[in-house]
Amino acid sequence: VSIRARTGGLVHAAWRRKRWFAAAAFAASVALAAGLLWPMETRRYLDAGASPQVLYRYGKLLCAFLNDEQQWQFSRPLAEISPYLIKATVAAEDQRFWRHFGVDPYAVARAAIQNVLGARIHSGASTITMQVVKQADDSDRSFAGKAAQAWQAIRLERHAAKGQILEAYLNGAPYGLNLVGCESAARRFFGKPANELTLAEAATLAALPKSPVGLMPLKSPRAALARRNYVLDRMAAEGSITADDRRRAKAEPLGASWHDFPQLAPH
């Protein structure tokens, strides 16, 4: 009888544990679903702060001024950004951007393996969406900070279109000096708006957010050229450009130099 009682007690305890785990899993699932479906204020992530600009009647830049953070930031819709730059940015920063849900499991697994084998932080796994979140929230590089970024990135992908997120990144990413966003970088380094960039110029700009200081084309042209060519290789590997496109772009000089912004009729 005692053996039977003890056995019955063990079975009952095991059944209670299963019920507790099932209830906890259900509660976690409900909380996760509620978090994803809960309304999200996306403007803080998608609306880039712009420098004041004075335009001609048909949109051409007449003159511009620094924004409140003393930065040059000319926001542009995705339709006014070179397709080359869009493809180069995805190839350089987040190759599975159009397919993941805000977090890239493959990149996370790769980064974990590389970091363990290297006994240091060798590779990150931040997606473009996570970087957009970081630009607004300014979270740190700790595990908790990265986890918060990942969660907000998943929520942002639930409440905003991919094109909106990519547009926010291109308008808010750092490109060196006090240049924020691709439009100001295109005008400073190449003297043209972002919708007129060549393939080689687009690859040069797409490389900059990874290391705006170390890859600055005006100060470190050799490093910038090497990274540009890497981006071109990635674009070819992804099928964004042909092998001939890559060869011709690699044959071009870096071509970056200082260009002043228009300052016509500032009064």
Side-chain angles (χ1 to χ4, degrees):
V1 175
S2 62
I3 294 175
R4 237 184 259 164
R6 283 200 299 270
T7 304
L10 291 174
V11 170
H12 185 64
W15 174 244
R16 280 188 300 174
R17 282 196 298 270
K18 286 182 180 179
R19 289 181 61 187
W20 185 89
F21 283 127
F26 177 76
S29 300
V30 171
L32 180 63
L36 290 175
L37 296 175
W38 193 262
M40 183 183 194
E41 180 54 72
T42 60
R43 285 182 299 176
R44 64 191 301 246
Y45 301 111
L46 303 180
D47 292 353
S51 300
Q53 302 167 66
V54 180
L55 308 177
Y56 285 100
R57 178 182 300 173
Y58 299 109
K60 184 178 178 181
L61 184 64
L62 182 67
C63 65
F65 307 90
L66 291 164
N67 64 15
D68 292 340
E69 288 74 37
Q70 298 302 297
Q71 297 169 331
W72 298 107
Q73 185 173 10
F74 309 142
S75 297
R76 294 292 183 268
L78 204 61
E80 294 181 17
I81 296 173
S82 166
Y84 285 138
L85 182 56
I86 293 171
K87 293 176 181 179
T89 298
V90 171
E93 293 291 330
D94 188 357
Q95 296 155 25
R96 285 173 288 275
F97 171 73
W98 299 108
R99 303 192 295 275
H100 65 60
F101 52 89
V103 175
D104 185 351
Y106 296 100
V108 171
R110 184 198 64 231
I113 292 170
Q114 291 179 346
N115 294 340
V116 168
L117 294 178
R120 62 188 179 88
I121 298 177
H122 178 74
S123 175
S126 290
T127 62
I128 284 175
T129 313
M130 290 175 66
Q131 292 181 60
V132 168
V133 169
K134 185 178 186 299
Q135 289 166 10
D137 290 347
D138 196 27
S139 52
D140 56 43
R141 291 174 59 86
S142 67
F143 178 80
K146 284 291 185 181
Q149 274 181 41
W151 172 243
Q152 287 297 89
I154 293 171
R155 293 193 69 220
L156 183 58
E157 292 254 356
R158 175 67 179 77
H159 293 276
K162 286 281 190 180
Q164 291 177 293
I165 295 168
L166 185 55
E167 180 181 300
Y169 175 82
L170 289 167
N171 283 319
Y175 286 86
L177 304 176
N178 59 342
L179 305 170
V180 176
C182 62
E183 180 73 14
S184 60
R187 288 179 177 275
R188 176 65 83 210
F189 297 133
F190 299 110
K192 61 177 68 172
N195 64 353
E196 296 179 7
L197 292 169
T198 66
L199 173 57
E201 293 166 346
T204 300
L205 288 194
L208 284 177
K210 179 178 178 63
S211 178
V213 176
L215 297 172
M216 169 57 56
L218 304 183
K219 295 183 179 180
S220 304
R222 293 180 63 182
L225 186 64
R227 182 67 182 177
R228 179 201 75 175
N229 291 343
Y230 167 79
V231 174
L232 291 169
D233 288 338
R234 289 301 320 146
M235 294 178 74
E238 291 289 308
S240 299
I241 59 174
T242 66
D244 286 340
D245 291 334
R246 174 178 59 179
R247 177 180 52 77
R248 286 192 294 268
K250 281 189 171 184
E252 292 184 23
L254 193 61
S257 60
W258 181 279
H259 294 268
D260 290 324
F261 297 128
Q263 289 296 327
L264 303 172
H267 60 285

